[in-house]
């Protein structure tokens, strides 16, 4: 008996409602019983993509194609999943297939243009989107996409104008209204952003996304208490909007409000104790915040109402591993393997625990498996590098060459009179929080909000342009090697995938970490505390190759780079890095960024 469309719709609704594990189980049963059901395979691809199993999603969509489902929508979904995997040539081919099915399919046209931007060809992307707008002048979707590309490229003024053009086409477009406010805020125009959003509040004030954007503008304007009140009201009125719960928790941490950061989650669970999506989101947030002991405690509470679920085992396994309970964690990973054992995130987390347990061979096997599933998984490569180091395998230095892959480069214009002082003043004005973010590596300092390089401030734009030149020079040093995750070839395009400033004070420092969002990472030192006779050797230096202390490996750094004001250090994003703290009081001001390189 073939599963009906209404039954598939129910599974789709289950996914949309947030019960992704339940939807995965349901659709797995369908495709197992009906391996020629193309519609079911298409839905399987969608659910797997939602669960971040991108390799499985590609397999699901391709099964649907094999079963005869050949629609523009399916090819478009496949293309988006290839984008998730950063397999951009395959994504481009899939978009072409979508447009071959339906040349007028606007979504694929827009996505194909956006892909050009992702591949580092922003000028072509802008031209393509403008061409689409000429053919479809009323398309707010295309207009918003163009604005998004312009914002990503740091053209905040042009992006804001384009969002205004979207609103001229469709005054009630919620996405354009929100994105205009966010763009203004990210551009440093918090007052203008707040005024814009307040003017639209009568129309959109019931939208959770709109209220969330309003809270961001309020915080940027220094109105933290007002933002907190709005967020508390939002989580009560729309408890299913989890970004508000996360924002409320983050606000409690960064601005030291004195309130329980998880109070809204506890309130929801008092009312709906058996709602799995609440537990799933809360566990994820607690892990992000490194509240591992609380995860262990709450896992027991969750089992009392939900039963013995694999996802609870997974969350608790990660937490117990971080608490140094490696054997207990491994038992939990083994129990959760049946459901999650094919996903890259699960495999990489288990590899991390294998390192802690002193099992480099298991680490090697798991990390290689995770890297094969997702070549952009920087944690998989980082753990593989540590496994090779523990095994005395020379491939450690094939992966991370601490001489060739680490380069300290002066930014020439910062040696001009007054340039560093001007940049310092600009950056200091952007640091408003009173405490470091709970999910970041810094200790004893603050981090700026949003994407630094999206600001149109001429001081920031000049810095961005100068850094782009240095990154280009770094990339051109390496010949292309498809087998190596960091050898892209001298003609590779790139784009910034994250940018921020960190201000450490007193004895602040960075714990050892890597960056999952890029290919190349960097620290540009703007202010370095003056030398102090009480400082230990290499105080304040950038430490490369030493793993996080919580892994218990006690491995020395492979390279230590003393900070130089006005110079940046470039290195692969999968390379462990941190800083030695200063023993003397002082300010350490840096700009950090990630770059995604496109082969």
């Amino acid at each position: 008996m073939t599963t009906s469309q209404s039954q598939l719709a129910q599974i789709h609704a289950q996914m949309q409602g947030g019960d992704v594990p339940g939807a995965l189980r349901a659709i797995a049963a369908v495709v197992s019983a009906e391996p020629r059901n193309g519609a079911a395979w298409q839905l399987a691809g969608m659910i797997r993509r939602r669960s971040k199993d991108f390799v499985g999603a590609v397999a699901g969509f391709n099964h649907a194609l094999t079963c005869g489902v050949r629609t523009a929508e399916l090819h478009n979904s496949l293309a988006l999943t290839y984008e998730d995997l950063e397999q951009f040539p395959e994504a481009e081919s899939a978009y072409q297939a979508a447009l071959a099915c339906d040349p007028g399919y606007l979504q694929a046209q827009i996505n194909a243009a956006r892909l050009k931007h992702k591949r580092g060809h922003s000028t072509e992307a802008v031209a393509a989107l403008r061409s689409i707008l000429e053919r479809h002048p009323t398309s707010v979707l295309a207009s918003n996409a163009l604005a998004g590309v312009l914002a990503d490229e740091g053209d905040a003024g042009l992006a804001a104008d384009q969002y205004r053009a979207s609103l001229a086409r469709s005054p009630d477009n919620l996405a354009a209204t929100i994105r205009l406010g966010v763009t203004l805020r990210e551009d440093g125009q918090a007052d203008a952003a707040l005024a814009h959003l307040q003017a639209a509040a009568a129309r959109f004030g019931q939208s959770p996304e709109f209220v969330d954007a309003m809270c961001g503008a309020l915080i940027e304007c220094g109105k933290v208490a007002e933002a907190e009140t709005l967020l508390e009201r939002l989580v009560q009125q729309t408890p299913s909007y989890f970004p508000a719960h996360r924002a409320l928790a983050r606000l409690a941490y960064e601005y030291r409000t004195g309130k329980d950061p998880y109070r809204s989650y506890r309130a929801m669970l008092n009312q709906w104790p058996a709602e799995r999506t609440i537990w799933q989101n809360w566990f994820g947030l607690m892990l992000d915040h490194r509240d591992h002991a609380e995860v262990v405690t709450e896992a027991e509470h969750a089992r009392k109402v939900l039963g013995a679920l694999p996802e609870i085992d997974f969350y608790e396994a990660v937490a117990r591993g971080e608490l140094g309970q490696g054997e207990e964690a491994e038992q939990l990973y083994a129990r959760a393997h049946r459901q999650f054992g094919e996903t890259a995130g699960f495999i990489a987390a288990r590899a991390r625990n294998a390192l802690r347990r002193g099992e480099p061979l298991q680490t090697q096997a798991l990390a290689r498996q995770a890297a094969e599933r997702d070549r952009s998984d920087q944690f998989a490569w980082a753990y593989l590098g540590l496994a090779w180091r523990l095994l005395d395998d020379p491939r450690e230095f094939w992966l991370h060459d601490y001489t060739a892959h680490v380069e300290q480069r002066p930014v020439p214009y910062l040696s001009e009179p007054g340039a560093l002082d001007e940049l310092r003043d600009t950056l200091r004005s952007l640091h408003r929080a009173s405490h470091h973010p709970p999910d970041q590596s810094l200790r004893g300092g603050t981090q700026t909000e949003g994407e630094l390089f999206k600001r149109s401030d001429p001081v920031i734009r000049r810095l961005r342009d100068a850094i782009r030149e240095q990154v280009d020079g770094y990339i051109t040093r390496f010949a292309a090697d498809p087998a190596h995750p960091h050898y892209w070839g001298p003609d590779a395009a790139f784009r910034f995938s994250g940018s921020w400033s960190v201000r450490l004070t007193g004895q602040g420092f960075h714990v050892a970490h890597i960056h999952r969002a890029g290919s190349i990472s960097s620290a540009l030192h703007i202010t370095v505390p003056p030398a102090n006779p009480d400082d230990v050797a290499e105080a304040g230096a950038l430490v490369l190759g030493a793993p996080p202390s919580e892994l218990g490996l006690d491995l020395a750094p492979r390279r230590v780079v003393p900070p130089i004001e006005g110079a940046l250090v470039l290195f692969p994003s999968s390379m462990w890095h941190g800083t030695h703290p200063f023993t003397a009081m002082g300010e350490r001001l840096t700009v950090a960024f990630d770059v995604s390189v496109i082969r």
Side-chain angles (χ1 to χ4, degrees):
M1 178 178 175
T2 303
T3 303
S4 68
Q5 286 297 321
S6 63
Q7 289 172 305
L8 293 180
Q10 289 175 356
I11 299 173
H12 183 270
Q14 191 175 9
M15 174 193 73
Q16 293 289 75
D19 184 12
V20 177
L24 281 169
R25 289 191 297 271
I27 199 63
V30 174
V31 296
S32 176
E34 304 168 29
R36 297 299 302 170
N37 188 331
W41 276 115
Q42 182 173 358
L43 181 56
M46 294 168 62
I47 298 171
R48 291 173 181 178
R49 182 172 182 243
R50 179 69 68 88
S51 72
K52 308 298 184 184
D53 177 13
F54 302 129
V55 172
V58 167
F61 291 133
N62 279 324
H63 272 300
L65 288 170
T66 302
C67 294
V69 180
R70 299 186 179 278
T71 64
E73 181 183 10
L74 174 58
H75 285 293
N76 185 68
S77 296
L78 178 59
L80 289 170
T81 313
Y82 278 131
E83 285 194 49
D84 295 327
L85 290 168
E86 297 191 357
Q87 296 178 10
F88 297 136
E90 292 85 351
E92 184 174 11
S93 296
Y95 284 131
Q96 290 172 353
L99 293 171
C101 289
D102 180 1
Y105 188 42
L106 187 58
Q107 186 67 67
Q109 293 180 32
I110 293 169
N111 287 341
R114 287 176 48 257
L115 178 59
K116 294 179 185 296
H117 169 57
K118 274 193 173 184
R119 301 190 73 176
H121 306 298
S122 297
T123 301
E124 294 179 24
V126 169
L129 287 166
R130 291 196 188 282
S131 176
I132 292 171
L133 275 172
E134 288 177 3
R135 300 192 303 274
H136 304 275
T138 62
S139 173
V140 178
L141 196 64
S143 180
N144 285 349
L146 174 57
V149 172
L150 293 170
D152 282 347
E153 285 302 295
D155 292 323
L158 290 177
D161 287 344
Q162 191 62 47
Y163 282 125
R164 292 187 183 100
S166 295
L167 291 171
R169 292 176 171 88
S170 177
D172 291 330
N173 186 267
L174 177 61
T177 301
I178 293 173
R179 289 307 306 169
L180 175 56
V182 172
T183 299
L184 292 170
R185 177 171 61 82
E186 290 180 338
D187 192 31
Q189 301 181 55
D191 291 335
L194 184 57
H196 160 71
L197 293 169
Q198 287 174 333
R203 284 179 294 162
F204 301 115
Q206 299 305 308
S207 161
E209 294 83 2
F210 179 87
V211 176
D212 197 6
M214 175 84 81
C215 290
L218 285 167
I219 292 171
E220 198 76 4
C221 289
K223 301 180 179 182
V224 175
E226 192 173 338
E228 184 181 50
T229 299
L230 265 183
L231 286 170
E232 288 176 335
R233 185 184 308 152
L234 177 56
V235 297
Q236 291 172 5
Q237 293 176 343
T238 314
S240 61
Y241 184 68
F242 289 109
H245 297 274
R246 300 178 75 89
L248 192 60
R250 187 180 180 97
L251 188 148
Y253 272 103
E254 288 194 53
Y255 290 88
R256 287 299 193 249
T257 65
K259 297 181 181 179
D260 174 13
Y262 304 131
R263 60 194 184 278
S264 64
Y265 285 95
R266 300 188 206 279
M268 281 194 294
L269 288 170
N270 281 336
Q271 188 169 358
W272 302 289
E275 181 54 58
R276 289 171 64 173
T277 54
I278 301 174
W279 287 105
Q280 291 161 1
N281 194 276
W282 188 22
F283 279 128
L285 181 60
M286 287 189 287
L287 289 177
D288 285 346
H289 289 180
R290 300 181 177 89
D291 287 330
H292 302 119
E294 187 147 15
V295 170
V296 173
T297 298
E298 295 301 335
E300 284 307 304
H301 295 159
R303 287 190 184 95
K304 289 177 182 177
V305 295
L306 299 177
L309 297 179
E311 58 256 42
I312 301 177
D313 291 337
F314 185 7
Y315 294 125
E316 187 179 352
V318 174
R320 286 195 180 276
E322 296 308 305
L323 291 169
Q325 302 168 16
E327 295 303 326
E328 296 90 333
E330 175 58 20
Q331 293 176 19
L332 291 162
Y333 279 120
R335 283 184 0 204
H337 176 83
R338 177 176 56 83
Q339 179 166 324
F340 298 104
E342 298 302 315
T343 60
F346 176 88
I347 298 167
R350 195 173 187 181
R352 178 182 177 91
N353 193 58
L355 282 168
R356 185 181 283 105
R357 295 171 54 242
E359 298 285 351
L361 286 173
Q362 184 190 20
T363 302
Q364 176 182 240
L366 289 166
R368 289 182 68 170
Q369 188 180 1
E372 287 169 359
R373 278 167 167 70
D374 182 1
R375 284 185 57 81
S376 65
D377 187 338
Q378 300 298 337
F379 275 105
W381 292 110
Y383 298 143
L384 186 55
L386 286 176
W388 283 337
R389 180 173 180 178
L390 293 170
L391 294 168
D392 199 24
D393 190 317
R395 285 177 293 181
E396 177 204 351
F397 299 107
W398 168 84
L399 178 62
H400 293 141
D401 184 329
Y402 291 92
T403 300
H405 294 169
V406 180
E407 187 175 2
Q408 190 169 39
R409 286 173 161 257
V411 179
Y413 91 90
L414 290 177
S415 63
E416 298 174 4
L420 269 174
D421 287 335
E422 182 181 48
L423 182 55
R424 287 184 186 114
D425 291 342
T426 299
L427 294 174
R428 285 170 182 152
S429 70
L430 304 179
H431 285 270
R432 296 188 176 90
S434 57
H435 195 261
H436 65 259
D439 55 348
Q440 299 298 323
S441 65
L442 63 149
R443 301 291 183 269
T446 58
Q447 181 170 306
T448 53
E449 290 279 350
E451 295 280 349
L452 182 66
F453 290 165
K454 286 186 178 180
R455 293 176 177 265
S456 60
D457 184 309
V459 175
I460 301 299
R461 291 297 298 273
R462 187 181 187 191
L463 176 68
R464 172 192 166 112
D465 292 343
I467 286 175
R468 187 183 287 278
E469 291 182 11
Q470 298 305 315
V471 172
D472 188 61
Y474 174 83
I475 289 175
T476 57
R477 296 174 52 236
F478 304 109
D481 181 353
H484 198 288
H486 308 312
Y487 289 168
W488 311 278
D491 297 326
F494 65 89
R495 58 184 176 82
F496 292 108
S497 52
S499 53
W500 60 96
S501 171
V502 170
R503 184 172 182 264
L504 301 177
T505 55
Q507 297 174 349
F509 64 100
H510 285 271
V511 298
H513 63 289
I514 67 165
H515 294 186
R516 67 167 70 240
S519 311
I520 302 168
S521 296
S522 178
L524 166 62
H525 292 91
I526 309 300
T527 299
V528 177
N532 186 294
D534 295 329
D535 277 342
V536 298
E538 300 174 341
L542 181 65
V543 178
L544 297 154
S549 59
E550 61 266 25
L551 294 183
L553 299 179
D554 193 26
L555 296 175
R558 287 302 194 191
R559 183 169 175 183
V560 177
V561 182
I564 298 173
E565 290 187 353
L568 56 80
V569 185
L570 293 162
F571 49 88
S573 295
S574 59
M575 186 178 285
W576 296 104
H577 59 284
T579 64
H580 283 315
F582 289 96
T583 55
M585 302 296 284
E587 177 193 47
R588 176 196 182 101
L589 187 64
T590 59
V591 167
F593 58 89
D594 292 325
V595 167
S596 290
V597 182
I598 301 96
R599 291 182 184 271

